[in-house]
Structure formats: C-alpha cells, structure tokens
Amino acid sequence: MTISRRSWIGAALAALGIAAVPAFAQQGPIKIGIGISQTGTLGGGGKAALLGLRMWVEDVNQKGGLLGRKVELIAYDDQSNPATTPGIYTKLLDVDKVDLLIAPYGTVPTAPIMPLVKQRDLLLMGNFSFQVNHTVKHDKWFNNAPWGDASSWTKGFLEVGQKAGAKSIAFIAADQEFAQNLANGAKAVAKQTGLKTVYEQNYPPSTVDFSSMIRAIRNAKPDMVFICSYPNDSVAIVRAINEIGVGPTVKLIGGGMVGLQFTPIMESLGSSLNGIVNYTSYAPGMKYPGIDEFLKRYHAKAVEAKVDPLGFYLPPFNYAIGQILEQAVTATKSLDSKTLAAYLHSHEFKTIVGPISWGPDGERAKPTVPMIQFRNLKDKDVAQFLQTGKQVIVYPPQFKQGSAIVPYDKARKAK
Amino acid sequence: MEFSFDLLKEALIFGALLGCFYAAVSVGLSVSFGLLDVPHIAHPAFMVLGAYGAWLLGTHGFDPIVAGVVLMPLFFAFGVAMYRFYYETFEKRGAEVGVRGLAFFFGIAFIVEVGLILAFGVDQRMVEAPYIGRSWEIGDMRIPMRMLVAFATALVLTGLLAAYLSRTFTGRAIKAVAQDEAALRLMGVNPVRIKQWAFGIATAVTTAAGAMLIVVGPVDPSMDRIYIGRTFCVVVLGGLGSMSGTLIAGLILGISESLVLTFFGASWAPAVAFGLLLLVLGVRPQGLFGK
Amino acid sequence: MKFWISAAVALILAVAAALTVKNEYFFFAGYVVLQFVVLATAWNILGGYAGYVNFGTGAFFGIGAYTAVLLVKSLGLPLGVQIAAAALVGAALGLGVGLLTLRLRGIFFSIATVAVAIILQTAIFNWRYLGGATGVQILRPEVTPPFDNYIKMLFVVGTLLAIVAVAVARYVETSWVGRGLRAIRDSEEAAECTGVPTLRLKLLACVVSGALMSAAGAPLPMYQSFVEPDSAFSLNYSVSALAMPIIGGTAHWLGPVVGAVLLGTIQQLVTVTISSELNVLVVGVLLVLFVVAAPEGIVGLTSRLWARFFK
C-alpha cells in the first residue's frame, strides 16, 4: 500500500507542532523519494528503517530544513518484491519529481533499479544492500551498510570457526541477488583459506520447507554451516534446525541470515536462536557517539507506531543516511547528483554510527561486520535483548564481548 | 550430493506424510471436478481461504485442527451458495458455457487471492501449537510432529469422505449423479440439490484441509498458485472421482516431491507436480483408476 | 482499406507523441497498455475464435522476454532481431503445447497451459546464465535517433507490434481460418464431420497466438532494465490477457483492443494512485461481472444497443 503524501505531511506537522514551524523559503520543499518494504519478507526491517529516516526528516526540519527549504519524504511500499521497484522509482522521478533518491532497503529490491539510476546518471544512497553495484558499477552509489565485499562479511565467521578447528563447510543460499552475492563471495574465501565444501544448495526464494535440506546437511556432517537467507526463509530455517537437528559435528552455524536482527523475529524465535552465530550491524555494548540517545528517542516513537521497539539493526543507519545527505547538501549548496557525488567520494562523514567514508565502488572504505552469538534466550521476551550477554559479540576485536561457544549443540544449552 | 540410505529412508517417510496431506487437500476437488464436472480452478484459493480462517481463529486461541472443524459448516453453506450461483448462471444454459465457466472460476480465484492480500497483507502467517516445532525421534530419524498430525487428520478426513460417498444414500446419489442424471431423476431425487450438497461438502472438506495447510507450514495469499498444480495433478493422476485413486496419487506426488527436494535440490521442486500432471495428461489422461 | 488508414494514423500519432510529449511516465505507462493490446489480441485468436481457453499467457510472454535476454547477453543483438527471434520461439512453443494438449478437452487444456508456464519458470530457475531466480540486470544500448529516450522509442515499437497483432487477428477472423475456428468453437464434432481440418486449424491458431505473445514479451528486459522469472512468467499476465478480450468482446478483433485499452488504462491509473493489488482486484471483479452478466463484451453490447436504437 502507498503511504500518501498528504498523511505524511499531516503527521510531520503534528509532530513538529504548528507553533514551532520555522519560516521556510518560498521555493517549495526538497523532495526525497524512496521505495521501501513495509510488507513482505523485508517488511519488519523496512518499517523500522522508515521510522529512523522520518526521525531525521523531523530533526532537520526543526533546524530550518535544508538550504532553507523544508524536506519532504515521499515513500512507497515495494512489498519486498523486486518487480515493483522499477515502476516505483520511475514514478518518483517522473510523477512526484523528487530531488534526491534513497535506495530501497535490501539488495533484492535495489538490484532492479541500478541500471535505471546509472542510465539517468543519478545519485543513489544505498540502504543495506550487499554488492548490488558490482555489475553495473555506477559511480554515484553510496552504501550505508558496515560491510564491503564478501571477505569483510565472512572474515569473523570463518576465523572463529577455523580457530575452533573447523575443516569443512556447507552452504545454503537463497537464489536471489543478496544471498547469491554473499554465497559466491564466501565460497571463494573459503576455498582460499583451505576449507572443504561438503554440501551446497541454492533454493528458490519462495521455499517454505527446509526439512529436506537440513536433513541433507546433517547427512554431510560439516564443521561449519554458512547460511545466506532472507527473513521468511531465515525463520523457516531456524525452525527446521531446531526441529530436525544438524548433528553433533557442526561447530558453527549461521553467518548471513537476514531477519534475525529484526526485533519481532528475535522475539518470536526466542530460545530457538540460541547458539546461532550471525552478523548484525549493532548490538548493545557497541559505543558510537550519539547512538544511545538516538535509540532512546526511537524507542518512544516505535512503541507508539507499533513498530520494532528496539531498533538495533536499521534505524540508526537510516538516520545516518539523512545525516550524510544533510552534510553534503549543506556543504555543496546543491542538489545536483554530480556535485554531491564528487563531495561524497572525497570526504568522511560523522554519523551516529561512527565515521563513514567510501571506496571507489561506493562501498565502505573501512568495513567491519560484527558477528554475534545468541545465548541464553528465553521465549516471548523483548526486554531481554537490551541486556548484554544475549547477543554476545564474538568479532571484531574492538567490540568483542566473549568467545564463541562451540560446538553448536553445546552453545544452544549454554547459560 | 551424497547418497545414503538413511537419507533415502527419511525422504520416503517424509514424502508419504506429505503425500497423504496432498491427497486430503485434493479430495474436495475430486468431488467437485471429478464427480460434478465443475471447472473449479478456484479450489486451491478456497483452501488458502480456509487456512486464513484457521489463522484468524488461532489468534483467538483456537488450535488449528479445531478451527478447521469449526469452520466447516460456514464453508459448507458458502459452497452450496457458490454452486447454486454457478448452476443458475452457466450450467443451465448449455455447452457454450465452457469458456465462461472456466473464466468465471479463474476470476473468483483471483478475487479471493487479492482479497486476502488486501485484508491480511502479503506477509506469511503461522500458527503455534504444541505439535508444531517438535519432532518424533526414532533411531537416527527425526520426523516433524506437524507432519504426523497433518497425516493423521488427512487420513481421517479422506476416510470419512470415502465412507460417506459409498455408504450413505446421499453419498451414493452424488456418485450416481455423475454417471446417470436421468436415472437419478427417475428415482425421485433432484439432481441439482444433490450437486449443491456435494459441492458444499467438497468446500467444507477443503476448508479443513486448509487448516492443515497452516499446520504444515506458513501460508501467504499467493500459495493457491502452486497448489493448482498439486491438486489437479493428484485428481487427474488418481482418476476423476476415485477416492482411493486420490490417496494413491497423493502419495505418488508427495514421495516424488520429497525425493526431488532431497536429491536434486529445491530449485526443481516447483516443477514436479505440474510436470507429473503433463505426463499423465499426455500418456494416460484417465488416470490410474479412472474410466 | 479503412483499417489500414486508421492503423497508419495511430502510428503517426504515436511517433508525434514520442517527439513532443515531455513527461516520460506517459510513455512508461502507455507501453504497458500497448503490450496488453498485443497479448489480448493474441489470446483471442485461440480463446475467442476457437474457444480454447489458454491460462498460460505468462509462459509465452516470459519465454519471449528470456529469449531477448539470451540474445542481448550473448550476442548483443538489436531489439528488432530480439522480437523476431522471440516470435519464432513463441511459435515453436505454441506448436509444441498444441501437439501435447489440444486433444484434451476444456479445462484440461487450460490447466496444461498453466503447467507449461510453471515448468518453463522452473527451468529458468536452474539456468544461471539467465540469472536463475535472482534475475538479471540489463543495460540498455544507446537509443537510435530521432528518439531522445529509449522508453519513447519502446512506445512506438509497442504501437507497431499492436498494429501487427491486430492486423493478423483481423486476417484470421475474416479468412477461411476464422470460419473454421468458429466452427470448432460451436461444435468440434460437427466441424470434424463436415471435413474441417480441426487439428491443423487449432495448431495454426496456437502457433500464431504464441508467436504474438512472445513478441510482446521481447521488449520487457529493455523496458524494465531487469527481468526475473517470478514476474515474467506470472499468472497475472494470464488473467489480464483473458479478462481483456472477455470484457471487450471475443467475437470481433476490436473487442480485445477495447478491453486492453480500457482495462489497461484503469490498471495503470490505479497502480499510480492507489496500489498494485487493487489493480489485480479490478481485473478479477470486472472479469467475473462480464462473464456473468455481459458475455458478448463491450463490443457485443454496443452493437446490440446500436441495433436496438438505430434500426
């Protein structure tokens, strides 16, 4: 469903309080357009991300807007379906006539519009995609995610596994842009480090039953299992792992499962997550300037909007997109894609998730992907995630809170 | 892929459980299409509707199987009304009907699917029950409880329906109406009322099957599309109108899918049902037990 | 003669619009409507004239799109060649499907066509070079002058395809082929008894219909810059291709055109202003309404009303 412009303006005005609206320049608002999942497999994350973005829009408008003009966010729901995004972004550009574009949340909805933005030579602010620019090679793409290429993502996982003596690895990956990018990269890294692949399987994104795959994995007796999946499949896979079991040889399982960072999913899976080692972008205990205050403000709004109440994964990074745009537009006094892109390529930006700068491919110059192990989780308890010791950071060293417990069967029961 | 007999054993067992479930899901179609000759493309859509009904009741604390039973009378009435409408609009008018009847049910299927999207969104829905998520351990094998529950319910449902059709007067009349309507009329039975009743029962059974669907796994509104393949494959393979045929065909399909999933990968699984269907249509269109 | 004059006028108008209208979205949405004119017209050749309801429009459309992808990725061939190749592939598929399924009656034929769509989609899932389930990104080549924009050029290409499709349908309808198909629709047994070569005619209809549908699918990769199997082979195309002729009228070649323009425009308006699900609902509801209450479609209705009031 679309989020109508009118209802957004109404909400924004109400939030600001009419009395506090400063005088905006007569030129009309600066329109920022985005298609972002509010339903479908990525919807849980998309809703939280959009709230983070809107918080930035409110904050910037309270300070007087950008270049003296009010900022207006036009958002449509892409339903996590890549078939909708070319139409949505064409509409944003030709019907709504937006000035700036932010990419959809996630690789799969973003992949279809990369040729479009390249051909129109427009700036696109990435939103947690993985290597989505590697074929098109657009020079005006800037991704906010903490990862770069596959080795930056898999480093933590493979290192922990190999330190525990792992020699073989199994891969399951969804047949979609994100999972394939990650799995291909991971397989290359695994080969380089001398790991033996004993099982690999791609599945169509609509697969709902994983019991056959988990059974096959158990049969293959791998030391590590690297999974690249989207939220719906991640949930089904976690349930299948708990239902069927992967066998006693598995030391480490997880790695690239999207969705296990969304609070509603963490809450509903509860104790079935115990022992899984997976990536994230932020976990309690990581210190960034301004993040604690942001999360507190976010929590209040999220509870009211009935959205992911903790907001660990996406909202801070979406707020950061806003901060980056704010700094770049203010410094260059321009909305032109070429000018902004040149500025973005040559500067580092301060955000609530730390300093951000990019390499020539538009991905992070200094990527670091935290790996956490879920431990000691109870069912149906949201508040437990605020404590440390539930998502124990096992990598990177600068944030490390503990060592991973191996093998997986032992970690599941650990306290 | 490494082949092992353990894996094969588990795949066969899982396939049999799945197959029985497929049979239960198709048995309603065997009646409505097999016996009554209604081009009921919307059958899987009604099943998904039943699944959502079970989910809705589940949010109020109903166990899904209980929800399925509770919904049956409601859907029986819905089935009767639907058949009545179809009969008045199409069947009465004769043979030209073919295209229009098909198009009608195709349209209905889409309306149901989109209606579900508008009402519930595209997100997957699941239910919770004590038997969902646990498995039964025998030796080295782990058999998911949800499959066992679905299997048991499917057997009961199919068995009851088969018994109804062969032991009761109305049941036998339903079978008769497919073979010789005129003879039935001579016996003083109104064929239209029989057909209406049969369609109602078929729809009710399908709803109970829908409740099982949400036990077996998560549901979303567009699931009716893949089930068109599965249900029609089972019904055609089994032979139109044959209950035992439906069960055996269901087992064949379930086991084939399970074997493909385990040994050839999930990327070929969607084609199994439809491929089997085309094969049957090409080689032996009357199915295993059809005339 | 009247037909060819109006066709020429339509083409001239399309080119003029492409050279003058500024807003790109008009062409983006307009192309989709033209695409449906081709699909609806093609469907009607088999469905309306012969009475064989094809639920597998998605299969032909998708295979046309993927033929184009294959040619562009491997050899970089231009759009015209892609369309021609797609038409050939579609014709071959139509022949194959026809041979396999035309002996089956009514609903079995229809279900078999759905089966073909899913099987083709699954085959693409397993073909990594064409992107598998992930999909493939396509970069458009430089646009040929006098057009300044690829979408505007596609709009004109779409108009041409629509004209070709309608011309073919009109020829089929008014020729001996059409007479034979109508005989088959009314009573296949009687037609056979009177010596109509039913199988050959049905196969011809399948081949022609399939070729046109695949030709309609060929520009899709260029249009969207991205193709993935779930949407390319989608059952949604099948519903629309079936609903538009039924709503417009299946007896005359004008019916699918009216249905496609009307329904297609409504769909685009609804998608832009409200949501894309609602547009599928609109199709479904209108289909059911017309099938139940107005089986001759808009064209049939208007000619009846015309006869009543003006004769």
Side-chain angles (χ1 to χ4, degrees):
Chain A
M1 285 282 153
T2 59
I3 303 156
S4 86
R5 226 175 305 166
R6 259 176 254 278
S7 63
W8 193 92
I9 293 180
L13 280 178
L16 292 175
I18 315 284
V21 168
F24 288 113
Q26 288 310 96
Q27 236 179 313
I30 293 183
K31 296 192 244 192
I32 304 184
I34 183 173
I36 184 164
S37 313
Q38 302 295 289
T39 55
T41 188
L42 294 173
K47 283 201 275 230
L50 188 59
L51 186 54
L53 255 181
R54 284 188 173 156
M55 281 176 66
W56 170 75
V57 175
E58 276 173 28
D59 289 353
V60 85
N61 281 337
Q62 248 176 349
K63 287 187 281 183
L66 273 183
L67 303 180
R69 295 160 65 182
K70 179 154 160 290
V71 172
E72 186 184 323
L73 183 67
I74 301 178
Y76 295 111
D77 179 9
D78 64 24
Q79 303 180 343
S80 315
N81 183 355
T84 61
T85 44
I88 289 179
Y89 277 77
T90 309
K91 184 158 124 184
L92 283 169
L93 288 168
D94 296 327
V95 177
D96 300 305
K97 300 219 195 302
V98 298
D99 302 294
L100 294 168
L101 286 177
I102 301 180
Y105 157 49
T107 317
V108 169
T110 306
I113 60 164
M114 295 306 290
L116 179 95
V117 294
K118 179 160 172 114
Q119 263 154 350
R120 295 223 209 176
D121 208 24
L122 293 169
L123 175 70
L124 185 63
M125 300 302 293
N127 200 346
F128 268 48
S129 304
F130 179 74
Q131 288 297 304
V132 81
N133 194 26
H134 82 290
T135 20
V136 171
K137 300 205 199 323
H138 185 38
D139 61 352
K140 297 183 177 60
W141 157 264
F142 300 91
N143 195 3
N144 66 346
W147 47 79
D149 63 2
S151 61
S152 64
W153 189 305
T154 55
K155 192 156 189 275
F157 190 86
L158 293 179
E159 244 179 50
V160 170
Q162 285 180 304
K163 221 183 276 182
K167 303 251 184 328
S168 61
I169 187 165
F171 289 97
I172 339 180
D175 192 351
Q176 33 101 319
E177 185 84 20
F178 159 73
Q180 289 301 301
N181 284 350
L182 183 56
N184 290 337
K187 287 178 197 171
V189 176
K191 203 172 182 175
Q192 272 171 5
T193 52
L195 286 163
K196 175 161 173 260
T197 304
V198 294
Y199 177 87
E200 50 189 315
Q201 180 69 230
N202 289 332
Y203 60 87
S206 51
T207 307
V208 287
D209 195 274
F210 290 89
S211 29
S212 311
M213 260 179 269
I214 298 297
R215 229 174 265 128
I217 287 182
R218 205 175 77 223
N219 194 56
K221 301 197 189 1
D223 294 326
M224 289 197 276
V225 184
F226 194 79
I227 305 174
C228 311
S229 55
Y230 255 21
N232 280 347
D233 354 326
S234 303
V235 169
I237 292 174
V238 170
R239 287 181 202 253
I241 292 173
N242 279 276
E243 206 184 46
I244 310 271
V246 281
T249 56
V250 172
K251 300 194 201 308
L252 221 55
I253 184 164
M257 303 175 78
V258 181
L260 302 189
Q261 308 80 14
F262 301 173
T263 312
I265 290 184
M266 292 199 287
E267 183 190 351
S268 99
L269 287 175
S271 57
S272 9
L273 283 170
N274 281 333
I276 292 180
V277 175
N278 201 31
Y279 83 99
T280 188
S281 61
Y282 171 84
M286 288 171 77
K287 295 273 165 250
Y288 289 128
I291 190 136
D292 292 322
E293 187 246 12
F294 170 82
L295 285 176
K296 238 199 316 234
R297 273 198 306 146
Y298 170 87
H299 177 77
K301 290 189 197 291
V303 166
E304 206 190 305
K306 298 215 193 23
V307 157
D308 175 343
L310 298 178
F312 288 157
Y313 181 56
L314 287 161
F317 287 82
N318 273 258
Y319 191 88
I321 296 180
Q323 289 184 302
I324 293 168
L325 279 176
E326 188 180 344
Q327 291 169 42
V329 169
T330 314
T332 59
K333 302 214 185 321
S334 155
L335 295 171
D336 169 59
S337 291
K338 240 204 189 83
T339 324
L340 287 170
Y343 189 82
L344 288 166
H345 269 304
S346 51
H347 289 79
E348 191 179 77
F349 294 81
K350 291 195 190 3
T351 72
I352 56 163
V353 288
I356 297 185
S357 63
W358 300 275
D361 59 355
E363 306 293 337
R364 285 287 195 107
K366 304 193 197 81
T368 331
V369 181
M371 283 284 160
I372 56 110
Q373 183 169 48
F374 291 102
R375 277 200 221 149
N376 201 8
L377 291 171
K378 291 195 298 284
D379 290 332
K380 301 199 201 323
D381 181 351
V382 177
Q384 68 183 331
F385 292 103
L386 286 164
Q387 310 158 13
T388 49
K390 302 294 181 182
Q391 292 185 69
V392 177
I393 304 177
V394 300
Y395 181 88
Q398 64 261 40
F399 295 123
K400 187 165 171 177
Q401 292 169 346
S403 295
I405 298 181
V406 294
Y408 167 64
D409 269 345
K410 183 159 160 230
R412 279 177 71 197
K413 311 183 185 106
K415 290 279 165 246
Chain B
M1 197 124 355
E2 270 188 48
F3 181 83
S4 89
F5 279 104
D6 278 333
L7 207 51
L8 178 65
K9 221 182 356 165
E10 278 194 80
L12 286 173
I13 295 181
F14 185 80
L17 297 178
L18 189 64
C20 214
F21 165 68
Y22 284 160
V25 160
S26 316
V27 87
L29 187 65
S30 202
V31 170
S32 58
F33 174 54
L35 291 176
L36 302 176
D37 221 14
V38 175
H40 196 7
I41 300 267
H43 172 263
F46 286 1
M47 175 191 72
V48 175
L49 199 56
Y52 269 88
W55 175 76
L56 212 53
L57 288 178
T59 56
H60 293 288
F62 279 78
D63 171 275
I65 306 289
V66 170
V69 173
V70 163
L71 286 170
M72 278 174 87
L74 177 66
F75 276 82
F76 174 82
F78 175 56
V80 167
M82 174 119 287
Y83 182 79
R84 197 67 212 215
F85 182 78
Y86 167 75
Y87 178 77
E88 296 296 330
T89 325
F90 299 101
E91 223 170 82
K92 251 173 114 169
R93 316 265 176 87
E96 217 293 310
V97 160
V99 176
R100 294 173 56 208
L102 264 175
F104 171 72
F105 277 104
F106 203 39
I108 293 287
F110 265 83
I111 293 179
V112 168
E113 184 184 317
V114 180
L116 283 174
I117 295 182
L118 289 171
F120 297 104
V122 297
D123 297 325
Q124 286 180 346
R125 302 286 172 189
M126 300 195 61
V127 287
E128 303 219 342
Y131 43 83
I132 299 182
R134 304 224 314 269
S135 38
W136 187 36
E137 301 189 29
I138 344 178
D140 226 3
M141 291 194 297
R142 305 250 233 134
I143 304 185
M145 287 261 179
R146 59 189 163 91
M147 294 309 296
L148 289 168
V149 168
F151 171 75
T153 319
L155 270 182
V156 167
L157 208 56
T158 320
L160 280 176
L161 187 61
Y164 179 80
L165 286 177
S166 48
R167 308 263 168 104
T168 65
F169 180 75
T170 334
R172 282 203 292 257
I174 293 175
K175 280 173 123 172
V177 86
Q179 293 173 10
D180 195 339
E181 210 172 297
L184 205 62
R185 234 185 270 267
L186 287 175
M187 285 177 64
V189 180
N190 181 348
V192 181
R193 294 200 59 192
I194 293 287
K195 292 205 242 186
Q196 214 170 266
W197 184 268
F199 199 84
I201 292 192
T203 312
V205 167
T206 306
T207 309
M212 274 189 282
L213 182 66
I214 200 169
V215 166
V216 165
V219 294
D220 73 82
S222 58
M223 276 183 102
D224 63 322
R225 299 183 184 199
I226 182 117
Y227 274 88
I228 292 180
R230 293 181 174 144
T231 51
F232 276 89
C233 172
V234 169
V235 165
V236 172
L237 178 57
L240 296 178
S242 161
M243 290 297 118
S244 44
T246 308
L247 191 57
I248 297 188
L251 284 170
I252 295 178
L253 178 63
I255 293 178
S256 314
E257 266 195 25
S258 183
L259 289 175
V260 168
L261 257 176
T262 310
F263 295 107
F264 292 97
S267 50
W268 284 109
V272 174
F274 281 105
L276 201 53
L277 175 63
L278 276 185
L279 195 63
V280 174
L281 285 176
V283 168
R284 193 186 154 92
Q286 66 270 45
L288 294 171
F289 294 90
K291 301 141 201 71
Chain C
M1 207 58 239
K2 253 194 304 185
F3 172 76
W4 289 109
I5 295 178
S6 15
V9 168
L11 187 59
I12 292 174
L13 280 175
V15 175
L19 295 175
T20 51
V21 175
K22 286 276 170 253
N23 190 330
E24 208 173 296
Y25 201 75
F26 168 76
F27 300 99
F28 193 74
Y31 172 78
V32 177
V33 175
L34 290 168
Q35 172 190 282
F36 277 114
V37 169
V38 180
L39 286 177
T41 306
W43 185 91
N44 200 44
I45 293 177
L46 189 62
Y49 298 162
Y52 274 79
V53 178
N54 180 0
F55 280 167
T57 309
F60 293 91
F61 185 80
I63 205 84
Y66 272 93
T67 306
V69 170
L70 182 62
L71 290 179
V72 127
K73 269 197 92 173
S74 57
L75 300 168
L77 294 175
L79 185 60
V81 177
Q82 293 169 32
I83 294 179
L88 283 172
V89 171
L93 183 65
L95 185 64
V97 171
L99 284 171
L100 187 67
T101 59
L102 282 173
R103 298 171 292 134
L104 307 168
R105 63 181 171 93
I107 189 176
F108 291 118
F109 171 76
S110 308
I111 302 281
T113 54
V114 181
V116 171
I118 301 284
I119 291 176
L120 283 176
Q121 182 179 336
T122 308
I124 299 286
F125 277 171
N126 288 283
W127 195 339
R128 288 249 68 85
Y129 182 67
L130 293 182
T134 300
V136 58
Q137 292 162 328
I138 306 282
L139 279 168
R140 298 177 190 146
E142 285 304 316
V143 66
T144 52
F147 302 107
D148 61 354
N149 178 298
Y150 208 90
I151 295 284
K152 294 185 183 177
M153 187 183 88
L154 278 182
F155 182 77
V156 173
V157 169
T159 313
L160 265 170
L161 276 175
I163 292 175
V164 167
V166 174
V168 168
R170 181 169 165 270
Y171 175 73
V172 167
E173 182 184 325
T174 51
S175 69
W176 63 274
V177 178
R179 274 200 301 275
L181 291 176
R182 276 192 292 279
I184 294 174
R185 186 192 62 203
D186 292 335
S187 166
E188 193 158 342
E189 283 168 3
E192 284 212 16
C193 292
T194 52
V196 176
T198 53
L199 186 63
R200 263 189 286 157
L201 280 176
K202 288 191 294 188
L203 281 177
L204 184 63
C206 262
V207 165
V208 171
S209 179
L212 287 171
M213 286 180 180
S214 297
L220 185 75
M222 293 294 165
Y223 172 71
Q224 277 185 160
S225 306
F226 180 78
V227 202
E228 51 96 31
D230 269 335
S231 57
F233 289 96
S234 168
L235 213 56
N236 289 1
Y237 286 112
S238 307
V239 160
S240 293
L242 179 148
M244 289 167 180
I246 289 193
I247 291 172
T250 52
H252 189 270
W253 59 263
L254 198 55
V257 177
V258 167
V261 170
L262 193 63
L263 201 54
T265 315
I266 295 179
Q267 280 185 325
Q268 288 304 303
L269 284 173
V270 167
T271 309
V272 169
T273 52
I274 314 179
S275 81
S276 51
E277 280 80 54
L278 213 56
N279 106 36
V280 183
L281 186 66
V282 164
V283 176
V285 169
L286 281 176
L287 172 63
V288 170
L289 269 174
F290 271 82
V291 148
V292 166
E296 339 85 89
I298 293 179
V299 166
L301 269 180
T302 39
S303 61
R304 243 196 318 137
L305 288 173
W306 188 273
R308 187 172 325 163
F309 289 116
F310 292 99
K311 291 251 168 84

